[in-house]
Amino acid sequence: MDDTIVANFFVLANIVAFLTAANVLMLILLLCFLWHTNNKLSLPMNWKLVAFSVSLVGIFATENVLIRKALIPEDSLEIPFHWGFLLNSSLLPKDVQYSWLRGHGVVAIMFPKVHKYLNWLVKVYPYVCYLQVFWVAISAIFVTFFPDNTAPLAPLDIAADSSIAVTGVICVIFDTALLIAFVTFLRTTHAELVDETDWRFATIARFGIAANACAYAAFALFVAGAAMDNPFNEEVIWNVSYCCLVGMFVALAAMKVSLHRRDVIDAVSTAEHNARNTKRRAPPPPETAGAAARRTLE
């Protein structure tokens, strides 16, 4: 291999290692936020977002191994790549599920007839992802236990690629529907949001648009990378695609933080309002003897 190409791969591997560490830090910050705000990890809103973050850590860690695979004998790193992909594919559906948990209320308001179909699509989506996991798992078993028998790998790769394509189509349909619902909601909502529900939906819509834009970019870059003949360019574009997924996670996490801050502000305002009302309704202090005498003289 040319020394320049080797140097480029080393630089890329080091960048991906840094991105892995950055995603680990974001995962730690998310867990600290949940702990500090007394958010239970068992709640679907929380553990799905945490699972999405874990999948991003797994993606970049696997990519780091995959990139270094170009610098050493290929067979020695086939096993971690397949099993790493297996882990990532099983966790990635959580981003769609989390987006739906947050955004389905907006869809129900704007397009109630479409809501039930999207709800069904979200329920089917994990099984499509698990189907690609199944094919990759079979490939991993062959590579691990039958390294000399490579004949079954070609049809298994075709089946896995087909599952990935179906997964991508579902994601595009889902993201498009959410994006249209979010944009329509913001265009039809009054500038003055006096209703708390409207404000929450508007926040979800704004951050949801940002998350969907990142998802579109990630899908487009992944397809572009798959069409590349140069392995180095392919890896660069794919890792930029994964960075777009990080942007999607940041948007969803920022949505959660923004909604929490609003809840805290509303709770404080409600407590102050109740305190003022209680003070107004409080009985007058007991009249002293001197005041009673003066009132009698008047």
Side-chain angles (χ1 to χ4, degrees), residues 47 110 139:
W47 74 261
M110 303 311 301
S139 297

Side-chain angles (χ1 to χ4, degrees), residues 39-114:
N39 273 291
K40 294 182 179 180
L41 189 60
S42 59
L43 295 176
M45 285 282 189
N46 296 330
W47 74 261
K48 290 182 187 296
L49 188 60
V50 170
F52 184 24
S53 181
V54 171
S55 71
L56 291 173
V57 174
I59 283 175
F60 283 102
T62 303
E63 274 297 305
N64 192 23
V65 172
L66 181 61
I67 291 168
R68 295 181 188 278
K69 164 186 167 181
L71 307 177
I72 57 180
E74 183 174 341
D75 291 340
S76 61
L77 287 178
E78 278 292 331
I79 295 174
F81 167 65
H82 277 83
W83 290 109
F85 184 85
L86 182 64
L87 169 68
N88 302 336
S89 299
S90 62
L91 291 176
L92 272 178
K94 304 312 175 191
D95 68 323
V96 170
Q97 293 173 335
Y98 181 84
S99 298
W100 181 245
L101 283 175
R102 281 298 189 192
H104 78 93
V106 178
V107 179
I109 292 174
M110 303 311 301
F111 309 113
K113 293 182 179 179
V114 178

Side-chain angles (χ1 to χ4, degrees), residues 19 23 26 49 51-60 63 85 88-89 91-96 99 125 132 167-168 171 175 210-222 237-253:
L19 292 172
N23 278 276
M26 284 190 286
L49 188 60
F52 184 24
S53 181
V54 171
S55 71
L56 291 173
V57 174
I59 283 175
F60 283 102
E63 274 297 305
F85 184 85
N88 302 336
S89 299
L91 291 176
L92 272 178
K94 304 312 175 191
D95 68 323
V96 170
S99 298
Y125 177 73
Q132 77 181 35
T167 302
C171 281
D175 290 333
N212 286 341
C214 292
Y216 276 123
F219 180 76
L221 287 168
F222 189 86
I237 293 178
W238 276 357
N239 279 279
V240 175
S241 171
Y242 300 144
C243 287
C244 292
L245 291 180
V246 175
M248 182 179 180
F249 167 77
V250 171
L252 294 175

Side-chain angles (χ1 to χ4, degrees), residues 18-291:
F18 170 78
L19 292 172
T20 305
N23 278 276
V24 171
L25 177 61
M26 284 190 286
L27 174 59
I28 293 173
L29 290 176
L30 174 61
L31 292 173
C32 290
F33 171 78
L34 295 177
W35 176 79
H36 181 71
T37 56
N38 296 320
N39 273 291
K40 294 182 179 180
L41 189 60
S42 59
L43 295 176
M45 285 282 189
N46 296 330
W47 74 261
K48 290 182 187 296
L49 188 60
V50 170
F52 184 24
S53 181
V54 171
S55 71
L56 291 173
V57 174
I59 283 175
F60 283 102
T62 303
E63 274 297 305
N64 192 23
V65 172
L66 181 61
I67 291 168
R68 295 181 188 278
K69 164 186 167 181
L71 307 177
I72 57 180
E74 183 174 341
D75 291 340
S76 61
L77 287 178
E78 278 292 331
I79 295 174
F81 167 65
H82 277 83
W83 290 109
F85 184 85
L86 182 64
L87 169 68
N88 302 336
S89 299
S90 62
L91 291 176
L92 272 178
K94 304 312 175 191
D95 68 323
V96 170
Q97 293 173 335
Y98 181 84
S99 298
W100 181 245
L101 283 175
R102 281 298 189 192
H104 78 93
V106 178
V107 179
I109 292 174
M110 303 311 301
F111 309 113
K113 293 182 179 179
V114 178
H115 180 272
K116 61 179 181 179
Y117 296 109
L118 284 179
N119 192 45
W120 176 84
L121 196 65
V122 171
K123 292 179 179 179
V124 171
Y125 177 73
Y127 296 102
V128 178
C129 290
Y130 298 148
L131 183 61
Q132 77 181 35
V133 169
F134 171 77
W135 298 122
V136 174
I138 298 298
S139 297
I141 291 173
F142 269 98
V143 170
T144 304
F145 299 104
F146 309 101
D148 297 329
N149 185 10
T150 59
L153 294 181
L156 288 174
D157 288 343
I158 294 174
D161 291 343
S162 301
S163 300
I164 293 173
V166 173
T167 302
V169 171
I170 292 177
C171 281
V172 169
I173 295 173
F174 176 79
D175 290 333
T176 301
L178 278 185
L179 185 62
I180 293 174
F182 291 155
V183 172
T184 305
F185 179 83
L186 291 177
R187 291 183 63 182
T188 56
T189 303
H190 297 294
E192 296 287 338
L193 294 174
V194 295
D195 185 78
E196 173 61 19
T197 303
D198 283 349
W199 188 94
R200 291 182 68 86
F201 283 155
T203 301
I204 292 170
R206 292 189 184 100
F207 284 104
I209 290 173
N212 286 341
C214 292
Y216 276 123
F219 180 76
L221 287 168
F222 189 86
V223 173
M228 289 287 175
D229 293 329
N230 187 308
F232 179 76
N233 293 339
E234 178 185 72
E235 287 300 326
V236 170
I237 293 178
W238 276 357
N239 279 279
V240 175
S241 171
Y242 300 144
C243 287
C244 292
L245 291 180
V246 175
M248 182 179 180
F249 167 77
V250 171
L252 294 175
M255 177 197 301
K256 185 173 186 65
V257 173
S258 180
L259 291 173
H260 172 74
R261 290 181 61 187
R262 177 69 184 205
D263 289 339
V264 171
I265 292 173
D266 289 341
V268 172
S269 299
T270 301
E272 292 177 348
H273 177 73
N274 292 337
R276 286 194 297 269
N277 289 341
T278 302
K279 188 175 181 180
R280 290 194 194 101
R281 293 194 299 267
E287 193 173 37
T288 63

